[in-house]
Amino acid sequence: MKKVITYGTFDILHYGHLNLLKRAKELGDYLIVGITGEEYDYNRGKLNVTEPLVKRIENVKKTGLADKIIVEEYFGQKIADIQKYEVDIFAIGSDWLGKFDYLKEYCEVVYLERTKGISSTDLRIYKNSILNLGIVGNGRIASRFIPESKYVSGVNIDCVFGRNEEHIKNFSQKFELNNYYTDYTKFLSQIDAVYIATPHNTHYEYAKKAILENKHVLCEKPMVLEAKQAEELFLLAKKHNVILQEAIKTIYSPCFNKLINIAKSGVIGNIKDVSATFTKLVENKNLREFNKSMFGGSVTELSTYPLCAIIKLMGTNYDNISFSSIFDKETGVDIFTKINIEYPNAMATANIGIGVKKEGDLVISGTKGYIYVPAPWWKTEYFEIRFENLSQTQKFFIKYDGDGLRYELADFIKAINAHKNSYKFKNEESICIADIIEKFLLTL
Ligand code: CTP
């Protein structure tokens, strides 16, 4: 019996896939189809897949062409599969010409001509149309966002809004954007969605105006500084049928999601304590971070990250919260703060600092063991599950690509196309963070 193997994502199954499967099957008597797993796709930077693995498996199964379906989970698996299943022929579309010649050591390699004029990428575009996203602000984070957007399909960024014409003109030239606006209403009329990357205290007004104009909003963290503002914006977004998402890159990254799922699975028993630290020394006191009137300080700048980990793990229903801070004498902003949160029979601490450095790790302690995520845990790509017996340690790694902003953008686009907010960060979680920041600001 001649065995043939082929691989693909097979997202939105189309006739190009069918042609490929038919011809691959004709090469032998038994066809094995390897379908890429979600984690593997993330690891190789393919963030645009729209259908979950089960759906893609179901679709390939329905063709009746596959004798066996397997899931491709890691780089190098093809060599193992070919040997394990005693495969005679590896077949793949001609878009991969030459890329799999290294498999010739193990079996025959055949490149089948790709069907012209169709791809999953094209179908995603026909189905969802390209989202025109405008950038609000031209600062540091906006400059990191545009290069990251190149890794996400289904989005086009071609304009920026800002108050200083010279600055946004330079920004648009630097990032080859065709348009820049100093008039927010005019800017909004040109786009479908905004990414707000201005100082915190301006987010609320920009987001509200955009929603009222029926634009989707991806807003940098902290989205707002008061719970009632967050509540109002989410209600407004619902009314206007648009997506509002707080841009916390960690929340949308694949390894962080795996970490949360594992922690919640009970593998370390009941979670009793979470300790999350994020410090980033800001040396120039002329920057916004040290400007009290612009809501500078450690909590407003950095607490979103540790709080999102704590809330994802422990929930939004805490009993008590308290803050201890060290303040900068000159500017009055908090340069280091500990947020202590008491839950029924459990606790959590967030340590944040713009003027004090501390190991930036995350420790999740349970009744059977603990999870250790080394610094920088907010760019999650590695963690260990540890127990009393050290030989039981388990290690996990999923690559965190680039600046990570691509993950929040990919989820934002998915949410828009699916007409519902990402399950990865719920509205009440975003509101809870705004509420904690508000509580802290009220102590000042
Ligand atoms: N394929 C093909 N003809 C097409 C599209 C895909 O022969 N028009 C083949 C690919 O070469 C590969 C298999 O189908 O062998 C699965 O490809 P996959 O990457 O899932 O499909 P694409 O449509 O190319 O997906 P994308 O646009 O997301 O890259």
Side-chain angles (χ1 to χ4, degrees):
M1 185 168 66
K2 216 177 204 180
K3 284 189 183 170
V4 182
I5 198 162
T6 189
Y7 293 85
T9 309
F10 300 102
D11 189 29
I12 324 176
L13 198 85
H14 52 70
Y15 64 86
H17 293 140
L18 277 178
N19 279 344
L20 186 284
L21 292 175
K22 266 189 213 145
R23 283 173 298 150
K25 175 103 178 177
E26 280 162 15
L27 293 172
D29 315 295
Y30 187 86
L31 178 65
I32 304 172
V33 181
I35 305 182
T36 53
E38 274 143 22
E39 216 168 284
Y40 176 60
D41 275 328
Y42 258 110
N43 267 338
R44 60 192 189 118
K46 198 170 167 79
L47 303 181
N48 56 359
V49 182
T50 52
E51 293 177 335
L53 178 62
V54 271
K55 172 93 177 145
R56 290 181 284 123
I57 292 178
E58 220 172 81
N59 286 344
V60 170
K61 211 182 247 171
K62 274 192 206 148
T63 67
L65 294 162
D67 295 290
K68 185 177 187 67
I69 295 176
I70 58 172
V71 177
E72 187 178 21
E73 286 169 308
Y74 61 93
F75 289 100
Q77 186 184 318
K78 291 184 179 80
I79 294 177
D81 290 341
I82 288 167
Q83 296 180 100
K84 180 168 152 196
Y85 299 111
E86 296 176 337
V87 167
D88 301 286
I89 299 173
F90 168 87
I92 196 95
S94 53
D95 44 326
W96 294 99
L97 194 68
K99 299 258 169 53
F100 292 104
D101 286 356
Y102 70 91
L103 294 174
K104 284 181 180 165
E105 197 181 324
Y106 306 94
C107 68
E108 190 185 335
V109 173
V110 176
Y111 295 100
L112 296 166
E113 201 183 331
R114 188 180 160 93
T115 308
K116 293 197 173 57
I118 178 99
S119 74
S120 303
T121 305
D122 291 345
L123 289 177
R124 280 178 212 116
I125 292 166
Y126 293 141
K127 211 170 116 189
N128 299 317
S129 75
I130 291 268
L131 184 83
N132 274 316
L133 182 80
I135 307 282
V136 183
N138 55 277
R140 288 165 280 165
I141 186 81
S143 302
R144 279 159 54 203
F145 187 81
I146 295 183
E148 281 282 309
S149 73
K150 310 286 183 234
Y151 295 92
V152 180
S153 62
V155 62
N156 174 44
I157 300 180
D158 207 20
C159 64
V160 57
F161 162 82
R163 286 186 312 189
N164 182 316
E165 186 159 358
E166 201 190 323
H167 289 176
I168 51 168
K169 192 176 169 193
N170 290 340
F171 184 89
S172 62
Q173 275 165 0
K174 183 171 170 198
F175 293 104
E176 297 175 341
L177 309 180
N178 279 321
N179 303 297
Y180 58 88
Y181 298 89
T182 50
D183 179 331
Y184 196 50
T185 311
K186 213 166 169 188
F187 161 79
L188 287 175
S189 71
Q190 303 303 307
I191 50 170
D192 310 311
V194 289
Y195 167 62
I196 301 176
T198 48
H200 326 312
N201 55 330
T202 62
H203 290 175
Y204 169 74
E205 289 299 337
Y206 284 133
K208 187 170 174 178
K209 184 96 203 286
I211 295 169
L212 288 171
E213 296 292 322
N214 303 316
K215 309 299 171 186
H216 304 284
V217 175
L218 177 63
C219 184
E220 256 314 314
K221 38 109 207 80
M223 187 171 79
V224 286
L225 305 168
E226 284 176 33
K228 68 171 185 327
Q229 289 182 340
E231 281 163 8
E232 182 196 339
L233 290 180
F234 281 120
L235 275 176
L236 210 58
K238 195 170 174 210
K239 192 170 153 208
H240 284 258
N241 213 6
V242 293
I243 297 294
L244 166 66
Q245 181 176 308
E246 186 166 3
I248 308 175
K249 59 184 187 214
T250 311
I251 288 276
Y252 302 97
S253 69
C255 196
F256 182 78
N257 274 278
K258 183 163 190 157
L259 162 76
I260 298 296
N261 294 343
I262 288 180
K264 302 280 279 183
S265 74
V267 68
I268 56 164
N270 294 324
I271 301 172
K272 290 295 174 194
D273 184 60
V274 177
S275 171
T277 300
F278 186 0
T279 64
K280 186 166 121 194
L281 288 185
V282 179
E283 267 144 35
N284 181 354
K285 289 197 179 171
N286 295 320
L287 289 176
R288 189 201 67 233
E289 285 87 336
F290 273 94
N291 187 330
K292 206 171 175 190
S293 64
M294 288 178 86
F295 297 91
S298 304
V299 170
T300 45
E301 281 303 318
L302 306 175
S303 69
T304 316
Y305 290 112
L307 290 176
C308 80
I310 292 170
I311 286 165
K312 289 288 347 159
L313 292 159
M314 314 286 268
T316 54
N317 291 323
Y318 56 85
D319 289 336
N320 258 308
I321 189 159
S322 60
F323 307 89
S324 339
S325 300
I326 296 168
F327 294 94
D328 179 52
K329 285 205 179 94
E330 257 171 73
T331 59
V333 303
D334 65 307
I335 51 165
F336 186 70
T337 293
K338 268 181 191 294
I339 306 178
N340 288 306
I341 309 178
E342 288 167 33
Y343 285 88
N345 211 19
M347 61 188 91
T349 311
N351 299 295
I352 45 258
I354 56 167
V356 173
K357 196 70 196 156
K358 185 172 160 63
E359 180 70 16
D361 54 10
L362 167 66
V363 186
I364 307 161
S365 307
T367 49
K368 292 185 184 156
Y370 70 98
I371 297 179
Y372 180 71
V373 196
W377 68 264
W378 54 95
K379 294 181 182 176
T380 328
E381 63 178 12
Y382 177 77
F383 61 94
E384 291 186 7
I385 307 179
R386 297 177 180 170
F387 300 94
E388 196 63 55
N389 179 349
L390 282 179
S391 68
Q392 290 177 346
T393 299
Q394 294 172 38
K395 301 176 181 190
F396 296 85
F397 177 84
I398 305 178
K399 198 165 172 286
Y400 182 89
D401 276 321
D403 260 331
L405 303 172
R406 64 192 68 178
Y407 301 120
E408 65 195 26
L409 179 59
D411 259 71
F412 181 57
I413 290 165
K414 270 188 195 159
I416 291 170
N417 293 333
H419 307 289
K420 62 173 182 226
N421 270 82
S422 170
Y423 65 89
K424 290 178 189 158
F425 198 46
K426 301 195 189 89
N427 296 356
E428 61 264 31
E429 295 170 330
S430 201
I431 293 166
C432 181
I433 291 184
D435 185 50
I436 292 175
I437 295 175
E438 180 182 358
K439 282 189 172 111
F440 172 75
L441 292 172
L442 287 171
T443 66
L444 300 179

